[in-house]
Amino acid sequence: MNRHPGQTIFPRRRAACRLAPWLAAAALLAGHASATEGAMGRSITGMQITSYAGIVPPEPGFQWTLGYVSYDGRLGASREAPIAGQVALGLEADVDLFSATGVYVWPTGEGRWNYASMLTVPYIMPDVTATLAVGDIRRQVQDSASGLFDLYFAPVIASYHVSQVEHWSFGLYVYAPTADYDPNRLANPGLNVWTVSPGVGYTHLFQNGTLEFSALGAVDWYSKNDDTDYKNGLVWRLDALLVKRTASGWGFGGVGGWIQQLQDDSGPTADRLDGFRGRSFGLGPVLTYGKKWQDGAHLDLSLRYVKEFGVERRFEGEPLLVSASFGF
């Protein structure tokens, strides 16, 4: 029997369990506040990519991931930002996001193509502070919330295996406005918009598979928030990951991210802010550990820290990601 082109290098524990993007947090943190409404959007710099982003393995079945993202971001007090249908002078957001992700690899067998589907159920706890101005009067307001965040899923993730060391993935990622939203509040569990993100992943292995380079590019398309008459512009993003793994199970490396808004936001509030188009860059270290048992069970841990810089019209902060992936 011919072997799958990536099977000898990518055992199931090293590929399928990492197909669920975290951001989201993937990317998932955008509860409130790219220069989009609330000054964040769906994606956070350097947080969307996962290890082996280009690979869906041939072995069918479920893989699971639990994740936690902490983000403390600020927009300077001299900078205006749209939130809750208003214009704030300065924003601060302290967000904790917990998420559970399931990935199902379809039973398509060995070959050039393999497929998977993914669903993430997130729980978010945002704490937002803003300075609002009415004429010459300014007042600082604070709001907190907690609850299920918008569901995040990928109906299809397709992976093409060029060779044992080179792989591409193609996915359609969707955020559904399933969480609570109140246009009169600063902090909300949900965004009240659909977001569709077609993405392309790439993975190349070096040094007999112990050195991984992966990249993930995507475009975030937002529907209109009818409650605030605000529509976010198209946002392009690119993340890259480089990790060296050792025989002991430990891995170390770095991650980088670039978010660039391609279109102005639209609506009365966005027009007042000249389209509120933004960007950000980020770099940081990555630490991983993987363990596999004889019965096939596995556990993979990952820690990631990113420092944002070169930020315009977005929150600027230092996101931290902790995740645990496992299968039986």
Side-chain angles (χ1 to χ4, degrees):
M1 178 183 296
N2 293 330
R3 296 189 67 83
H4 181 278
Q7 188 175 8
T8 58
I9 294 179
F10 300 104
R12 182 176 179 177
R13 73 179 184 91
R14 294 241 185 231
C17 59
R18 293 182 172 89
L19 288 173
W22 292 108
L23 338 271
L28 296 169
L29 277 186
H32 313 278
S34 63
T36 47
E37 187 175 19
M40 185 180 290
R42 294 286 187 191
S43 302
I44 294 181
T45 318
M47 290 285 112
Q48 282 62 240
I49 193 169
T50 61
S51 294
Y52 305 106
I55 303 171
V56 174
E59 300 90 344
F62 283 97
Q63 299 290 321
W64 310 95
T65 302
L66 300 177
Y68 168 71
V69 179
S70 174
Y71 186 77
D72 185 1
R74 288 174 172 77
L75 193 71
S78 62
R79 300 178 181 178
E80 294 182 315
I83 188 169
Q86 306 178 67
V87 175
L89 295 172
L91 284 172
E92 297 183 12
D94 186 359
V95 183
D96 293 303
L97 176 73
F98 304 87
S99 55
T101 297
V103 175
Y104 178 70
V105 179
W106 301 1
T108 51
E110 299 179 359
R112 290 288 183 180
W113 288 91
N114 290 110
Y115 304 90
S117 299
M118 177 273 290
L119 172 67
T120 294
V121 179
Y123 187 91
I124 194 168
M125 300 171 62
D127 188 341
V128 180
T129 301
T131 301
L132 303 179
V134 180
D136 295 330
I137 301 176
R138 297 187 181 186
R139 63 188 182 94
Q140 189 175 78
V141 294
Q142 188 271 340
D143 192 18
S144 299
S146 62
L148 291 175
F149 187 44
D150 295 336
L151 285 179
Y152 178 47
F153 62 94
V156 179
I157 306 170
S159 178
Y160 178 71
H161 311 286
V162 179
S163 68
Q164 288 186 341
V165 297
E166 188 175 11
H167 309 261
W168 291 86
S169 68
F170 309 90
L172 182 65
Y173 304 92
V174 180
Y175 297 85
T178 57
D180 292 338
Y181 181 83
D182 183 345
N184 298 314
R185 296 193 60 176
L186 293 178
N188 275 292
L191 281 185
N192 199 40
V193 297
W194 287 88
T195 307
V196 178
S197 303
V200 177
Y202 176 77
T203 294
H204 199 293
L205 283 173
F206 304 88
Q207 301 178 4
N208 295 320
T210 64
L211 179 63
E212 174 207 352
F213 171 76
S214 288
L216 177 66
V219 175
D220 298 333
W221 177 86
Y222 295 83
S223 67
K224 181 181 177 181
N225 186 341
D226 292 326
D227 288 344
T228 59
D229 197 19
Y230 197 102
K231 188 178 187 305
N232 300 324
L234 202 66
V235 177
W236 174 83
R237 51 184 168 85
L238 176 66
D239 290 349
L241 182 73
L242 184 68
V243 178
K244 172 65 176 179
R245 295 182 174 86
T246 66
S248 65
W250 289 98
F252 55 90
V255 64
W258 177 14
I259 296 177
Q260 182 73 52
Q261 188 164 343
L262 303 178
Q263 297 176 326
D264 289 347
D265 296 344
S266 59
T269 305
D271 293 343
R272 174 181 168 182
L273 298 177
D274 194 27
F276 202 60
R277 185 186 302 200
R279 73 174 187 201
S280 65
F281 301 92
L283 289 172
V286 174
L287 180 66
T288 68
Y289 179 77
K291 174 71 173 178
K292 184 177 182 180
W293 289 268
Q294 291 183 350
D295 61 359
H298 66 83
L299 174 66
D300 292 273
L301 306 176
S302 180
L303 174 65
R304 180 185 309 179
Y305 164 85
V306 172
K307 171 66 175 177
E308 293 181 313
F309 61 92
V311 178
E312 292 184 1
R313 292 182 168 181
R314 285 182 59 94
F315 274 120
E316 182 173 354
E318 301 176 9
L320 177 71
L321 166 68
V322 180
S323 67
S325 301
F326 54 93
F328 308 100

